[in-house]
């Protein structure tokens, strides 16, 4: 569902079409379909992990500006910069044609080899 | 036991997005403990292929937090239920601060969500808490802010007519 269009260094850009047929909309909510805000965050997390292989350790701040409806096209723009203790700070904005829908500040750490969870 | 039938009388979330199975402890207006069992039948695992790494079965962080958030909505709306948004109001999260993902969750785990009301003003509320699996802390949420909004306002916002 997530397709990464461009990833140069610490810039991750992705676009996601919100499929109106996604069963999620039957339950959130009956009669008024909106994508749960934290599912929007999962799209960002998925795109960042796909590009960096890093693991999410914190969502320091999430701001939900307007709802995402079935059929919306999400544009994700994320910038990752090195932070303390080997972590990366991720600042991400998600847009639709209507404008900004959500803003996230999160932190990632490099996934260690050996399968540590 | 407070199970899914009772939970559906309070909050508007429905299958397959209703991500709470039962309430273990409840102090209305103050605190709530709810359980969510994760299984291999979660919709997020449907598209995972046979050659996937074990790590790909980690439950998505956003969905873990969504499940926790539903426990928060359940606590906040316990005395003012909103089981059907068609009556005109939607519960939306407006923000999260200081959430830490401290461990991963896999099929077979039963997640215990602990939520505590910090304050409630009009139709908005702030909730704090954590999630635990077998005594292991997997999520800590500093503060979660939610609000009850009119459907008309939201529909307009989605169309871009609200800043």
């Amino acid at each position: 569902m997530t397709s990464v269009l461009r990833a140069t260094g610490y810039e991750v850009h992705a676009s996601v079409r919100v499929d109106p047929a996604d069963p999620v909309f039957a339950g959130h909510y009956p009669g008024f379909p909106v994508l749960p805000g934290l599912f929007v965050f999962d799209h960002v997390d998925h795109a960042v992990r796909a590009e960096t292989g890093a693991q999410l350790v914190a969502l320091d701040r999430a701001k939900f500006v307007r709802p995402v409806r079935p059929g919306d096209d999400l544009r994700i723009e994320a910038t990752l910069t090195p932070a303390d203790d080997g972590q990366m700070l991720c600042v991400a904005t998600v847009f639709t044609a209507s404008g900004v829908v959500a803003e996230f500040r999160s932190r990632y750490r490099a996934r260690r080899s050996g399968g540590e969870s | 036991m407070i199970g899914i039938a009772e939970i559906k009388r309070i909050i508007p979330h429905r299958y397959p997005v209703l991500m709470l199975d039962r309430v273990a402890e409840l102090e209305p207006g103050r605190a709530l403990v709810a359980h969510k069992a994760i299984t291999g039948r979660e919709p997020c695992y449907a598209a995972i292929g046979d050659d996937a790494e074990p790590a790909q079965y980690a439950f998505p962080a956003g969905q873990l937090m969504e499940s926790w958030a539903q426990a928060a909505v359940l606590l906040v709306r316990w005395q003012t239920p909103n089981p059907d948004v068609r009556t005109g109001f939607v519960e939306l999260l407006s923000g999260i601060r200081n959430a830490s993902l401290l461990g991963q969750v896999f099929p077979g785990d039963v997640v215990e969500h602990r939520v505590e009301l910090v304050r409630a003003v009009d139709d908005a509320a702030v909730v704090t808490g954590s999630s635990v699996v077998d005594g292991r802390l997997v999520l800590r949420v500093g503060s979660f802010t939610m609000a009850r909004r009119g459907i008309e306002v939201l529909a307009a916002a989605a169309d871009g007519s609200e800043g």
Side-chain angles (χ1 to χ4, degrees), chain A residues 8 11 15-16 38 44 54 64 70 77-78 80 99 104 117:
Chain A
T8 50
E11 298 282 325
S15 57
V16 177
L38 284 159
V44 176
F64 300 94
E77 295 186 1
L80 286 98
F104 303 104
S117 60

Side-chain angles (χ1 to χ4, degrees), chain A residues 39, chain B residues 15-21 35-48 56-60 63-64 67 105-111:
Chain A
F39 285 39
Chain B
Y15 184 90
V17 190
L18 177 53
M19 298 165 75
L20 296 174
D21 295 319
H35 291 169
K36 155 73 178 157
I38 309 294
T39 79
R41 290 184 55 150
E42 299 291 338
C44 59
Y45 300 128
I48 296 183
Q56 287 179 255
Y57 283 91
F59 194 59
Q63 293 200 33
L64 178 67
S67 177
V105 175
F106 290 91
D109 286 339
V110 176
V111 184

Side-chain angles (χ1 to χ4, degrees), chain A residues 29 42 57 59-60 62 66 98, chain B residues 62 91 96 98-99 101 158 162:
Chain A
Y29 298 102
D42 265 341
V57 292
L59 175 56
D60 294 317
R66 45 164 81 81
S98 301
Chain B
E91 311 295 343
I96 293 174
N98 301 325
L101 285 305
E162 187 192 66

Side-chain angles (χ1 to χ4, degrees), chain A residues 35-99:
Chain A
L35 191 66
L38 284 159
F39 285 39
V40 176
F41 176 71
D42 265 341
H43 284 306
V44 176
D45 181 46
H46 184 95
V48 169
R49 284 187 292 116
E51 275 314 297
T52 65
Q55 186 169 317
L56 178 72
V57 292
L59 175 56
D60 294 317
R61 191 168 181 176
K63 186 180 171 193
F64 300 94
V65 181
R66 45 164 81 81
V68 174
R69 308 295 305 269
D72 279 351
D73 287 305
L74 301 181
R75 193 172 90 248
I76 296 167
E77 295 186 1
T79 304
L80 286 98
T81 52
D84 295 341
D85 11 317
Q87 293 188 347
M88 286 185 295
L89 181 68
C90 176
V91 177
T93 307
V94 183
F95 306 82
T96 64
S98 301

Side-chain angles (χ1 to χ4, degrees), chain B:
Chain B
M1 185 187 81
I2 301 173
I4 293 172
E6 291 86 351
I7 292 169
K8 286 165 77 173
R9 289 179 201 138
I10 307 294
I11 64 176
H13 307 68
R14 293 294 179 269
Y15 184 90
V17 190
L18 177 53
M19 298 165 75
L20 296 174
D21 295 319
R22 62 174 64 165
V23 174
E25 295 173 32
L26 171 67
E27 292 177 62
R30 210 191 81 70
L32 178 148
V33 176
H35 291 169
K36 155 73 178 157
I38 309 294
T39 79
R41 290 184 55 150
E42 299 291 338
C44 59
Y45 300 128
I48 296 183
D50 293 348
D51 54 352
E53 298 292 326
Q56 287 179 255
Y57 283 91
F59 194 59
Q63 293 200 33
L64 178 67
M65 290 188 280
E66 169 66 25
S67 177
W68 180 92
Q70 291 179 11
V73 177
L74 188 61
L75 171 65
V76 170
R77 292 298 168 229
W78 192 263
Q79 289 139 313
T80 52
N82 181 25
D84 186 350
V85 302
R86 282 164 292 202
T87 57
F89 294 94
V90 184
E91 311 295 343
L92 284 193
L93 57 158
S94 42
I96 293 174
R97 277 180 187 266
N98 301 325
S100 298
L101 285 305
L102 302 163
Q104 293 187 312
V105 175
F106 290 91
D109 286 339
V110 176
V111 184
E112 179 174 297
H113 297 304
R114 301 168 178 176
V115 295
E116 208 173 303
L117 186 66
V118 177
R119 62 179 173 274
V121 183
D122 297 330
D123 281 338
V126 180
V127 180
T128 188
S130 60
S131 301
V132 171
V133 173
D134 286 334
R136 176 174 62 98
L137 193 61
V138 294
L139 170 68
R140 196 167 47 221
V141 179
S143 75
F144 164 88
T145 310
M146 55 172 272
R148 177 176 287 193
R149 306 272 307 273
I151 273 184
E152 303 78 5
V153 176
L154 279 179
D159 293 339
S161 53
E162 187 192 66

